[in-house]
Amino acid sequence: RVASPTMDPDPDAIKDRLVAHYDAHAGQRVHRILRAGRREFRDEYVARLLSEGRDDLIELGAGTGQDARAFVAAGFGVVAIDLSPEHVAHCRRAGIDSRVGDFYDLAADDAAFDAAWAMSSLLHVPDRDLGGVLAEVTRVLRPGSLIGAGFWGGIDREGPHGFDDTGHERFYSFRSDGKLRRLLEEHWTIESFAVTHYDPSDELHYQWVVARTASA
């Protein structure tokens, strides 16, 4: 449920609440079963990367490493970024190169990666900051890199969405399909855009995106 109609969209306040939530729930998330469609989307993405001879990727918001482990198993070099120190600790225990960080400053060299993966993570960035974040992601990618991303959306609304059992509220920026496409296309070329309606009674649906950075 939506907790309140407003919430300070200050990036540091948003990050603090996200860290509090995810650190508190990291142990549970290790055993989380991925939603239907996630593995299939990831497998198709991996197949495309392999067909293009890609070598490495950066994951934005890696959680406890479910996807990162699959990318490593497929032979890719992976750098997994997450705000939560507890998430990063779980990733490292699984042998993943994981670092505490955020999307505003990825602390990586220009053109360092062939691809980026961001599942349910960029939706925590306010609209007013998204352009800068997408530019930062683009900076660390090589020309023509492939991005796989997923978002909850279908409506246009920013603010907290529900409370967890520790009382931490998380900021979400839900975007209609048209708005999300417009924002992404300011930086990337969208190659595919699909939605999944998990619950017909829910105003939100899931948006699956494959996009590409400009070629050199």
Side-chain angles (χ1 to χ4, degrees):
R1 66 180 177 85
V2 176
S4 62
T6 61
M7 177 178 175
D8 181 6
D10 173 69
D12 289 336
I14 290 171
K15 294 173 198 176
D16 288 345
R17 292 185 178 98
L18 290 171
V19 169
H21 172 88
Y22 288 118
D23 274 356
H25 291 83
Q28 302 167 24
R29 295 176 68 84
V30 172
H31 308 290
R32 187 175 59 131
I33 297 174
L34 298 179
R35 283 184 177 270
R38 172 79 162 263
R39 286 186 297 274
E40 291 80 3
F41 182 73
R42 186 183 66 208
D43 290 346
E44 291 172 5
Y45 178 71
V46 165
R48 293 186 66 172
L49 293 180
L50 292 172
S51 72
E52 295 180 10
R54 304 293 178 170
D55 295 318
D56 48 38
L57 64 86
I58 184 169
E59 182 172 7
L60 310 171
T64 54
Q66 286 94 333
D67 288 333
R69 289 195 296 271
F71 290 128
V72 170
F76 297 105
V78 176
V79 172
I81 305 297
D82 202 279
L83 277 173
S84 162
E86 289 297 320
H87 280 179
V88 168
H90 281 289
C91 287
R92 288 177 175 172
R93 283 195 286 272
I96 299 163
D97 181 356
S98 186
R99 307 167 189 179
V100 176
D102 64 61
F103 316 142
Y104 293 76
D105 180 2
L106 292 172
D109 292 337
D110 293 355
F113 302 98
D114 280 333
W117 180 255
M119 284 293 117
S120 302
S121 54
L122 294 173
L123 49 70
H124 291 305
V125 178
D127 283 344
R128 71 181 189 187
D129 298 330
L130 186 62
V133 166
L134 296 181
E136 174 66 359
V137 175
T138 302
R139 180 188 68 78
V140 304
L141 296 177
R142 299 181 185 109
S145 291
L146 206 63
I147 302 106
F151 305 80
W152 284 105
I155 58 174
D156 290 318
R157 184 171 65 217
E158 287 193 327
H161 188 71
F163 288 102
D164 64 26
D165 54 3
T166 61
H168 301 119
E169 55 185 3
R170 286 175 288 170
F171 179 95
Y172 285 82
S173 185
F174 300 124
R175 296 154 181 134
S176 62
D177 298 342
K179 181 177 182 179
L180 179 61
R181 292 184 71 109
R182 288 193 301 273
L183 291 171
L184 296 180
E185 286 173 341
E186 291 178 4
H187 298 267
W188 305 330
T189 298
I190 294 177
E191 297 197 350
S192 66
F193 190 107
V195 302
T196 297
H197 295 267
Y198 286 105
D199 181 351
S201 66
D202 193 342
E203 62 184 347
L204 298 173
H205 57 240
Y206 206 76
Q207 301 154 318
W208 308 93
V209 181
V210 176
R212 193 179 295 274
T213 62
S215 299

